[in-house]
Amino acid sequence: MTGHGDLVAELRRSVSGAVIWDRNELAGRDPGFDDRNFGAAALVRPRDAEGVSALVRFCAGKGLSLVAQGGRTGLAGGAATTAGQIICDLGAMNRIEEIDPRARVAIVQAGTTLAALQEAAAVHGLDPGIDLAARGSCTIGGMISTNAGGIMAFRNGTMRHRLLGLEVVLPDGRLLRDLTRVLKTSAGYDLKHLFVGAEGTLGIVTRAAIRLDPIGGSSATAIIGTKDAASALHVVGHFLGRAGTSLRAAEIMWHGFASAVARTLGIDSGELPLDAPCLLVLELAAPTAEEATQALEQGLSALWAEADIIDGAVAMSLEQARTIWRLREESEVIERLHDHPPSFDVSVPGGAIDAYVTRITEGLKAIDADYSPYVFGHLADGNLHISINTDNPPRERYRAIEDVLYAGLQEIGGSFSAEHGVGLDKRDAYERHADPVKQQLSRAIKALLDPSDMLNPGKIVGPGPETR
Amino acid sequence: MTGHGDLVAELRRSVSGAVIWDRNELAGRDPGFDDRNFGAAALVRPRDAEGVSALVRFCAGKGLSLVAQGGRTGLAGGAATTAGQIICDLGAMNRIEEIDPRARVAIVQAGTTLAALQEAAAVHGLDPGIDLAARGSCTIGGMISTNAGGIMAFRNGTMRHRLLGLEVVLPDGRLLRDLTRVLKTSAGYDLKHLFVGAEGTLGIVTRAAIRLDPIGGSSATAIIGTKDAASALHVVGHFLGRAGTSLRAAEIMWHGFASAVARTLGIDSGELPLDAPCLLVLELAAPTAEEATQALEQGLSALWAEADIIDGAVAMSLEQARTIWRLREESEVIERLHDHPPSFDVSVPGGAIDAYVTRITEGLKAIDADYSPYVFGHLADGNLHISINTDNPPRERYRAIEDVLYAGLQEIGGSFSAEHGVGLDKRDAYERHADPVKQQLSRAIKALLDPSDMLNPGKIVGPGPETR
């Protein structure tokens, strides 16, 4: 085995132009959303795809594991590293190489942040059509590798649907270059989709072509109190089908979540209708903000009785709209109410949401009478985020909680991981709840592409036959 | 080798409840869009996924090749069969099992036609968000297997983007069941995408969950004459970004195509602005048809000078709108002007379209001074359909034409097959123009899933190591 100093020196020789931090330098740095991210022997920051390829070949030759990292905002341990591993940090590859306004496409390096792409596209009146709270740090490569979703996915699709072309370094160091800039391509197996959501276990994304949409109109925001998700979905269905306007967000918060966030942020029920069992936040776009406001007001008063609306308000100032969005977006205050509370990210088909929330609330109480879930999420695509009001429980207890949350989800067509991926933290859930044929085929594909289990080993499909 | 009568009898015993036609019965039937479809030894029409699995196992045991067929409307020879092969016809599996209006999802069997799904969804004010001229015959399974595109793909994505869940029979007869009904799922490798556009070479699609969108508003139609595609794209860009309305179609026809179709259908330039170099057909939706008409008129007059519009008319009656759409949709009249004219289906990024059309027009003239292309397509996603004004040429000549059409396409981010697939007819193009690493990896994946090359052999990736 190579000594530590030797390793860094060899890395320096093998990956020309790369910035390298050894484990001492890593120890003093911010590991991002996950304390486990910086457990590696070294971090290497290549300056281009050839550098990534050189690093992959180096690690293959030495029998070292390599873990790709982007913005380190992942929530499932997909970028966690251990002592013998090397990090491939894409942070230096953050160039927006081109915005083509006529083809409505951006060519970006994998380390580009979402916010940087949003800003560069906005100059041309365009937008990547995907948005999430970590926009300032999360990178396009990371978003591809986890198939990120966010607030606008119900309308524009997830990251997979925004992706036109991809460049990936394979585990043998070769570059797969499929930088198509067009939406329609049926030119053989569309292999780029293998790497979407693969969390760096099949290849390392180095460059992408991302679809852009024109930004049009101005929007208004409303907050609506309803008795349940079905009632909120009725409202959403109306605005989704309403011609002349365009729904940009439909977020839901259950009472337990909203009241805890409101209390922490110092928002009171004089400002917002916080007493309803469910709160729905809508953002609606129209040619002008006045028309958007009017459409929200008219639509809500027409729906009031038939949708069983309890309470509701259209924001009359930017300040009011901001307060509504703070309530929804500052969800991390929930995470701070407890020490590493168990947190989940599931997809539930629209019609099944109320029954699901009732079932898990009861199931959690059966484990511990004090347990209750904080629930919020993206109503129009059924993506719910759920935290439990307890400190990080022991393993057996955590499993019991998982079983309550995931039981029956597959059967109703939902998903135990909506937009955060599997990483390490949902490995157990994957083995217990993913289709067995899918698991077998996934392992076979991992073994085909990465026979020595070099790239991000242990994540998603688990350790390979020869654990490193 | 089993005799022919024995084979049919054995098939009958092995696939219970299936309808079976032997080669004599096939000879008297309509093979659909491709004369080569019914070359097989027998056609088997299983009644469910278990029947498909039984058929797959039977063929595996006998060393027979199996070719899946849906509506037989494919345009690349993907469903062509030869004497020793068996057809798996999905026609009896045409049940719409469920429309869930709250989750906005349809669960359909693979043999369901697009038109049947459109009608069933419309009852709930919903639509599958994808449309193409073969809607009455093409099936959901076939559309998944070719990643169909069509008129609305620029806004709603291709079939891949409409797909939420999939059930597939694998080459070993196992069922991969991933019938997710939600948009967001990052629960491991999303293997359903491997089968999208794989043309039945990796598995046979038996069931799918398809995303539905609310239908809102009424639309108006306009036809606009411009000097080139850039000018037409300028118009499209305006309406794409116009809040309060929604662009539903942006189709382009070059003069040679439009005048030939108009002549054949008996439409004259008194009715439509047929003299311009390019004709753009727009369909715009708004809350009412009057508002849509008004928005088209206002938009076009505002754009007239800056977009270099030559001529244009907004349809003032349903009759006029129908005439405009006949001009665009009755493109098969072009195919009948010649005997099997060479036909192509490429994607070209927006900004590169005019240069591409100029280049191929010149390149074709260099092969034969009489050659000229009929060009039309889906402008907003850059998908051009191209036929050459000549009878089916000899192989070497065909290759020269292909080289003109495909040269440099990959480099500018286009695709030599946009929505028709590779099948048999684009095998040559695939080998010469697809990325070599992609080809190698695709072959490896085919060998992993279908090691004996049983499913649709010879299509896309070509014959396996042991040709059957």
Side-chain angles (χ1 to χ4, degrees):
Chain A
M1 192 62 196
T2 316
H4 182 253
D6 294 346
L7 174 67
V8 170
E10 285 187 60
L11 278 167
R12 222 173 285 283
R13 276 196 301 277
S14 303
V15 190
S16 77
V19 170
I20 299 178
W21 297 344
D22 65 17
R23 62 183 175 216
N24 300 320
E25 286 165 296
L26 279 174
R29 309 261 182 173
D30 174 11
F33 283 14
D34 195 317
D35 296 340
R36 297 165 295 179
N37 284 342
F38 277 175
L43 176 149
V44 183
R45 184 175 272 183
R47 61 179 179 189
D48 53 24
E50 289 64 37
V52 174
S53 172
L55 178 57
V56 166
R57 287 177 208 268
F58 175 84
C59 289
K62 294 275 175 191
L64 293 165
S65 299
L66 189 60
V67 179
Q69 293 187 351
R72 289 181 275 272
T73 59
L75 294 170
T81 52
T82 53
Q85 301 184 317
I86 308 294
I87 294 166
C88 176
D89 178 305
L90 281 304
M93 294 167 58
N94 62 354
R95 216 149 21 89
I96 295 172
E97 298 183 331
E98 191 183 341
I99 304 271
D100 179 344
R102 286 177 304 176
R104 299 188 306 281
V105 61
I107 309 293
V108 301
Q109 291 184 323
T112 305
T113 64
L114 173 59
L117 175 57
Q118 287 171 330
E119 277 168 40
V123 172
H124 303 273
L126 296 168
D127 185 79
I130 188 163
D131 193 30
L132 38 99
R135 60 187 75 82
S137 319
C138 68
T139 63
I140 299 301
M143 291 173 71
I144 292 167
S145 298
T146 53
N147 189 23
I151 294 164
M152 298 197 289
F154 75 94
R155 144 159 242 113
N156 301 328
T158 63
M159 197 63 190
R160 180 185 302 283
H161 306 107
R162 311 306 304 168
L163 185 70
L164 297 175
L166 196 68
E167 182 188 78
V168 189
V169 175
L170 299 177
D172 59 11
R174 285 184 303 172
L175 250 76
L176 176 69
R177 295 199 83 226
D178 190 9
L179 281 170
T180 310
R181 295 175 179 221
V182 289
L183 181 73
K184 285 183 181 165
T185 180
S186 295
Y189 307 160
D190 199 348
L191 297 184
K192 63 177 173 280
H193 289 281
L194 255 187
F195 302 92
V196 178
E199 304 182 32
T201 61
L202 298 177
I204 297 181
V205 172
T206 49
R207 193 183 262 116
I210 305 292
R211 189 179 171 192
L212 304 174
D213 289 336
I215 307 169
S218 297
S219 63
T221 305
I223 187 162
I224 300 125
T226 64
K227 69 176 198 309
D228 55 20
S231 165
L233 268 174
H234 190 112
V235 175
V236 169
H238 169 84
F239 286 105
L240 270 178
R242 187 187 177 103
T245 58
S246 152
L247 193 62
R248 287 196 180 160
E251 300 286 301
I252 191 167
M253 299 172 271
W254 271 258
H255 180 72
F257 171 88
S259 57
V261 177
R263 212 166 36 240
T264 314
L265 299 181
I267 300 166
D268 68 42
S269 52
E271 292 178 78
L272 297 177
L274 294 171
D275 296 329
C278 282
L279 288 178
L280 172 67
V281 174
L282 292 181
E283 197 161 314
L284 190 74
T288 64
E290 292 68 35
E291 288 168 273
T293 302
Q294 210 174 23
L296 276 174
E297 285 171 345
Q298 284 174 351
L300 290 175
S301 64
L303 287 166
W304 206 270
E306 73 177 74
D308 266 335
I309 297 174
I310 294 173
D311 203 345
V314 178
M316 283 304 160
S317 67
L318 221 56
E319 184 57 31
Q320 279 184 328
R322 255 192 228 117
T323 304
I324 293 171
W325 274 106
R326 278 184 70 208
L327 188 67
R328 162 59 190 82
E329 284 214 314
E330 301 209 8
S331 56
E332 74 274 34
V333 305
I334 293 294
E335 303 293 314
R336 278 186 258 119
L337 293 177
H338 308 275
D339 176 28
H340 290 83
S343 292
F344 305 92
D345 157 53
V346 299
S347 276
V348 183
I353 294 176
D354 285 309
Y356 177 79
V357 173
T358 302
R359 188 177 66 64
I360 65 162
T361 305
E362 287 166 4
L364 289 167
K365 287 228 177 307
I367 299 176
D368 185 321
D370 288 337
Y371 280 3
S372 76
Y374 301 107
V375 188
F376 68 101
H378 315 292
L379 181 62
D381 54 36
N383 177 193
L384 304 182
H385 298 300
I386 302 164
S387 290
I388 318 298
N389 62 336
T390 183
D391 296 343
N392 192 19
R395 186 183 163 86
E396 278 311 300
R397 177 55 68 95
Y398 188 91
R399 277 208 167 180
I401 293 172
E402 275 196 326
D403 281 344
V404 165
L405 268 82
Y406 299 152
L409 256 188
Q410 197 198 353
E411 289 73 9
I412 60 171
S415 177
F416 68 85
S417 184
E419 58 179 9
H420 294 169
V422 173
L424 279 182
D425 299 346
K426 289 177 189 157
R427 284 273 310 123
D428 246 35
Y430 177 79
E431 297 207 341
R432 297 203 283 166
H433 299 281
D435 180 65
V437 176
K438 173 178 159 166
Q439 290 191 43
Q440 288 159 26
L441 195 48
S442 298
R443 262 184 182 283
I445 286 172
K446 168 71 171 172
L448 176 73
L449 268 79
D450 185 16
S452 62
D453 200 17
M454 177 185 56
L455 289 187
N456 212 3
K459 314 293 167 63
I460 302 185
V461 294
E466 304 162 61
T467 306
R468 303 170 75 86
Chain B
M1 190 62 196
T2 316
H4 181 253
D6 294 346
L7 174 66
V8 170
E10 283 187 62
L11 278 166
R12 220 172 287 283
R13 276 196 301 276
S14 303
V15 191
S16 76
V19 170
I20 300 179
W21 297 343
D22 66 17
R23 61 183 175 217
N24 299 320
E25 286 165 298
L26 279 174
R29 311 261 181 173
D30 173 12
F33 284 14
D34 195 317
D35 296 340
R36 298 165 295 179
N37 284 343
F38 278 175
L43 175 149
V44 183
R45 184 176 274 183
R47 61 180 179 188
D48 53 24
E50 288 65 36
V52 174
S53 172
L55 177 58
V56 166
R57 287 178 207 266
F58 175 85
C59 290
K62 294 274 174 193
L64 294 165
S65 298
L66 189 61
V67 180
Q69 292 187 351
R72 290 181 276 272
T73 59
L75 294 169
T81 53
T82 52
Q85 300 183 318
I86 309 293
I87 294 166
C88 177
D89 178 303
L90 281 304
M93 293 167 56
N94 61 355
R95 215 146 25 87
I96 296 171
E97 298 184 328
E98 191 183 341
I99 304 270
D100 179 344
R102 286 177 304 175
R104 298 187 306 281
V105 61
I107 309 294
V108 301
Q109 290 185 320
T112 304
T113 64
L114 174 58
L117 175 57
Q118 287 171 331
E119 278 168 39
V123 172
H124 302 274
L126 297 167
D127 185 79
I130 188 162
D131 194 28
L132 37 100
R135 59 186 78 82
S137 318
C138 69
T139 62
I140 298 302
M143 293 172 71
I144 291 167
S145 298
T146 53
N147 190 20
I151 295 166
M152 300 197 289
F154 75 93
R155 132 157 254 118
N156 301 327
T158 62
M159 198 62 190
R160 181 186 301 282
H161 305 107
R162 310 305 303 168
L163 186 69
L164 298 176
L166 196 68
E167 181 190 77
V168 190
V169 174
L170 299 176
D172 59 11
R174 284 184 303 172
L175 251 76
L176 176 69
R177 295 198 84 226
D178 190 9
L179 282 168
T180 308
R181 296 175 178 219
V182 289
L183 180 73
K184 286 184 182 164
T185 179
S186 295
Y189 307 161
D190 198 349
L191 297 183
K192 62 177 175 281
H193 289 281
L194 255 187
F195 302 91
V196 178
E199 304 183 33
T201 62
L202 298 178
I204 298 182
V205 172
T206 49
R207 193 184 262 117
I210 305 293
R211 188 178 169 191
L212 304 174
D213 287 337
I215 307 169
S218 297
S219 63
T221 306
I223 187 161
I224 300 126
T226 65
K227 69 176 200 308
D228 56 19
S231 165
L233 267 175
H234 190 112
V235 175
V236 168
H238 169 84
F239 287 106
L240 270 179
R242 188 185 175 102
T245 58
S246 152
L247 193 61
R248 287 199 181 157
E251 300 287 300
I252 190 166
M253 298 173 272
W254 271 258
H255 181 72
F257 170 89
S259 57
V261 176
R263 212 165 36 241
T264 314
L265 299 181
I267 300 167
D268 69 39
S269 53
E271 292 177 78
L272 298 176
L274 295 170
D275 296 328
C278 281
L279 289 178
L280 172 66
V281 175
L282 292 182
E283 197 162 313
L284 190 74
T288 65
E290 293 67 37
E291 287 168 272
T293 303
Q294 210 176 23
L296 276 174
E297 284 171 345
Q298 284 175 352
L300 291 175
S301 65
L303 287 166
W304 205 270
E306 75 177 71
D308 265 334
I309 295 175
I310 294 174
D311 202 347
V314 178
M316 283 303 159
S317 66
L318 221 55
E319 184 58 31
Q320 279 184 328
R322 258 193 225 114
T323 305
I324 293 172
W325 275 106
R326 278 183 69 209
L327 188 68
R328 165 59 191 81
E329 282 213 315
E330 301 209 6
S331 56
E332 76 274 34
V333 308
I334 293 294
E335 303 293 314
R336 278 185 257 119
L337 293 176
H338 308 276
D339 175 27
H340 290 84
S343 292
F344 305 92
D345 158 53
V346 300
S347 276
V348 183
I353 292 177
D354 286 310
Y356 177 79
V357 173
T358 302
R359 187 176 67 63
I360 66 161
T361 304
E362 287 165 4
L364 289 167
K365 287 227 177 308
I367 298 175
D368 184 321
D370 288 337
Y371 280 2
S372 78
Y374 301 108
V375 188
F376 69 101
H378 315 292
L379 181 63
D381 55 37
N383 177 194
L384 302 181
H385 298 300
I386 302 164
S387 290
I388 318 299
N389 62 337
T390 183
D391 298 342
N392 191 19
R395 185 182 163 87
E396 277 313 300
R397 177 57 66 96
Y398 188 90
R399 276 209 169 179
I401 294 172
E402 275 197 325
D403 281 345
V404 166
L405 268 81
Y406 300 150
L409 255 188
Q410 198 199 351
E411 289 73 10
I412 60 171
S415 177
F416 66 87
S417 185
E419 57 179 9
H420 294 168
V422 174
L424 279 182
D425 300 346
K426 289 177 190 157
R427 283 274 309 123
D428 248 34
Y430 178 79
E431 296 206 343
R432 297 204 284 166
H433 298 282
D435 180 66
V437 177
K438 172 179 159 165
Q439 290 191 43
Q440 289 158 25
L441 195 47
S442 297
R443 263 184 181 283
I445 285 171
K446 169 71 171 172
L448 176 73
L449 268 79
D450 185 16
S452 62
D453 200 17
M454 176 184 58
L455 289 187
N456 213 3
K459 314 294 168 61
I460 303 184
V461 293
E466 303 163 60
T467 305
R468 300 169 76 85

